Amino acid sequence: MRNYIFKRILLIPATLFGILIINFMIIQMAPGGPVEHTLAKYRGLNVDAKSQFSASAQMNMDTAGSKYQGAQGVPEDLIKELEKQFGFDKPLHVRFVKMLKDYACFDFGKSYYQDKTVWQLIVERMPVSVSLGLWSTLIIYLIAIPLGIKKAVRDGSNMDIWSSFAVIVGSAIPVFLFAVFLIVFFAGGTYLQWFPLRGLTSDNWEELSLPGKIIDYFHHIALPVTAMVIGGFASLTMLTKNSFMDEINKQYVLTARAKGLNENQILYGHIFRNAMLIVIAGFPSMLIKMLFTGALLIEVIFSLNGLGLLGYEAIMTRDYPVIFGTLYIFALLGLILKLISDITYSLVDPRINFEAQN
């Protein structure tokens, strides 16, 4: 197993290189960019252009910067200054090589529009995403796996039917609707005001004692995490049930029963290891989804500044350092979690040998 882990670790830089070069080319070909974004803001300013520039500059405005959308009416010197500011005065391959060298040292540069480095923005937003992602994933697994096992064992019973109704509701209604429902009923929307609506902590966080900080923290994340759990447990519950249903009817289960083993010994001693493999395989993707992409609407609705919202804002404003910096972090975490998933495979079922497969 150590050789397999070593090989996988060696593949991480090559995989990151492939991800970066593909996304770098896609971003370069996408319409718009930081220069166009800044030009659009410039053209939207309520100023008299004639009072800002000389008549000779005005003569060149209609032809300046024709390779950028919205460049008409903007001085050529300003466009060149913007190109230099954003690094577009250098060839494409030079910019990409420089980015690779910087990223190898985890230097993601500085945001185009915020006076902060990408690392500072990530560190500021990370607690929100980690809080939402880890707690939601943990609670989803604690609910979905026992419920899925129970549904498989009692397939067709009243318990299975009623729980299936909850699963259908959870999978059919979008997460943001659950979030709105919780706000309306429990966060001062219309009825009760039991929970705060904004932020991860209260304004007087520093003044609270340690128990007070813990209570305040869970008080703030209760509704966002609840909304994510309600919207996320359905698919994992059915995945667990179907996986156990497939294993229950196999020959080795009948053989175990013929040997006189009780149902708990069969379920947790034999079926569990095989049925849980597919559930474990989905853990990295679910955690990444909860950490970054799945919480985007939740972050917006509950006014939480997390990494999902940071990445979305960067895409909308073409803030390339933030886009590629967060992409690099997301991809690296995904590869590491995938490796952890493979290691967990071997721990759950020692019969799996990745080195023998290679």
Side-chain angles (χ1 to χ4, degrees):
M1 190 64 183
R2 282 182 294 182
N3 291 335
Y4 173 77
I5 295 174
F6 182 70
K7 292 177 182 178
R8 287 291 299 273
I9 292 174
L10 290 180
L11 283 174
I12 288 178
T15 307
L16 287 174
F17 174 81
I19 292 172
L20 286 175
I21 192 170
I22 291 173
N23 284 275
F24 184 83
M25 297 307 299
I26 292 175
I27 290 293
Q28 300 304 317
M29 293 186 294
V35 175
E36 287 91 336
H37 182 79
T38 305
L39 289 175
K41 290 173 65 177
Y42 171 83
R43 289 173 62 85
L45 294 177
N46 294 321
V47 295
D48 184 6
K50 291 183 179 180
S51 65
Q52 300 292 328
F53 306 105
S54 63
S56 59
Q58 283 285 337
M59 295 176 60
N60 295 325
M61 284 182 180
D62 292 335
T63 58
S66 59
K67 66 178 179 179
Y68 297 112
Q69 296 180 4
Q72 290 76 16
V74 179
E76 185 176 3
D77 291 343
L78 175 59
I79 295 178
K80 290 182 178 179
E81 182 179 345
L82 289 175
E83 288 180 333
K84 184 177 181 180
Q85 175 185 340
F86 294 124
F88 293 110
D89 57 332
K90 300 180 179 64
L92 194 66
H93 68 280
V94 174
R95 285 186 278 137
F96 181 69
V97 171
K98 183 180 183 302
M99 184 181 73
L100 291 180
K101 292 179 180 178
D102 292 339
Y103 280 26
C105 302
F106 288 90
D107 179 9
F108 303 127
K110 192 174 182 179
S111 170
Y112 286 158
Y113 308 112
Q114 303 183 57
D115 189 23
K116 295 179 180 179
T117 65
V118 176
W119 263 122
Q120 288 176 318
L121 293 173
I122 292 175
V123 170
E124 287 179 1
R125 307 289 186 99
M126 184 68 78
V128 173
S129 295
V130 170
S131 295
L132 294 178
L134 287 181
W135 286 114
S136 299
T137 305
L138 177 63
I139 296 173
I140 285 173
Y141 268 75
L142 289 176
I143 293 175
I145 291 178
L147 180 59
I149 294 173
K150 200 72 174 178
K151 286 173 65 64
V153 173
R154 302 180 60 181
D155 183 47
S157 65
N158 290 333
M159 175 268 172
D160 181 42
I161 294 172
W162 284 107
S163 59
S164 295
F165 174 76
V167 169
I168 291 172
V169 171
S171 60
I173 301 179
V175 175
F176 72 89
L177 285 183
F178 283 120
V180 173
F181 173 83
L182 293 174
I183 290 173
V184 169
F185 279 89
F186 301 108
T190 303
Y191 299 97
L192 305 172
Q193 194 168 1
W194 290 353
F195 297 93
L197 183 59
R198 182 181 299 274
L200 194 63
T201 56
S202 299
D203 294 335
N204 62 338
W205 165 262
E206 298 296 336
E207 302 173 3
L208 298 175
S209 62
L210 180 59
K213 289 181 177 180
I214 295 174
I215 294 172
D216 182 74
Y217 168 74
F218 283 106
H219 192 212
H220 278 77
I221 69 169
L223 291 188
V225 169
T226 300
M228 294 177 67
V229 168
I230 293 175
F233 86 100
S235 59
L236 184 60
T237 299
M238 295 309 300
L239 177 65
T240 304
K241 177 188 175 181
N242 294 333
S243 180
F244 273 79
M245 289 289 294
D246 289 341
E247 296 295 328
I248 284 174
N249 297 319
K250 288 187 176 180
Q251 183 62 43
Y252 73 89
V253 177
L254 300 177
T255 303
R257 287 197 179 104
K259 290 181 178 180
L261 298 179
N262 61 46
E263 290 301 317
N264 283 336
Q265 289 176 322
I266 296 172
L267 183 63
Y268 296 104
H270 295 76
I271 297 175
F272 186 83
R273 290 189 308 174
N274 298 323
M276 284 300 295
L277 291 177
I278 190 172
V279 178
I280 293 172
F283 178 79
S285 59
M286 173 172 284
L287 183 57
I288 288 292
K289 177 183 177 182
M290 289 295 177
L291 280 173
F292 307 117
T293 58
L296 173 58
L297 290 176
I298 297 297
E299 291 175 6
V300 173
I301 293 171
F302 288 96
S303 300
L304 299 171
N305 291 324
L307 289 176
L309 186 58
L310 175 65
Y312 174 76
E313 292 172 345
I315 292 173
M316 296 302 295
T317 59
R318 300 299 194 271
D319 197 345
Y320 289 169
V322 178
I323 292 176
F324 289 115
T326 53
L327 172 67
Y328 186 85
I329 295 296
F330 296 171
L332 181 59
L333 285 176
L335 292 171
I336 293 174
L337 287 173
K338 181 60 179 173
L339 177 58
I340 293 174
S341 175
D342 290 345
I343 296 173
T344 310
Y345 262 133
S346 298
L347 295 176
V348 173
D349 190 349
R351 295 172 300 175
I352 296 178
N353 189 338
F354 290 104
E355 291 184 7
Q357 292 177 7
N358 288 336

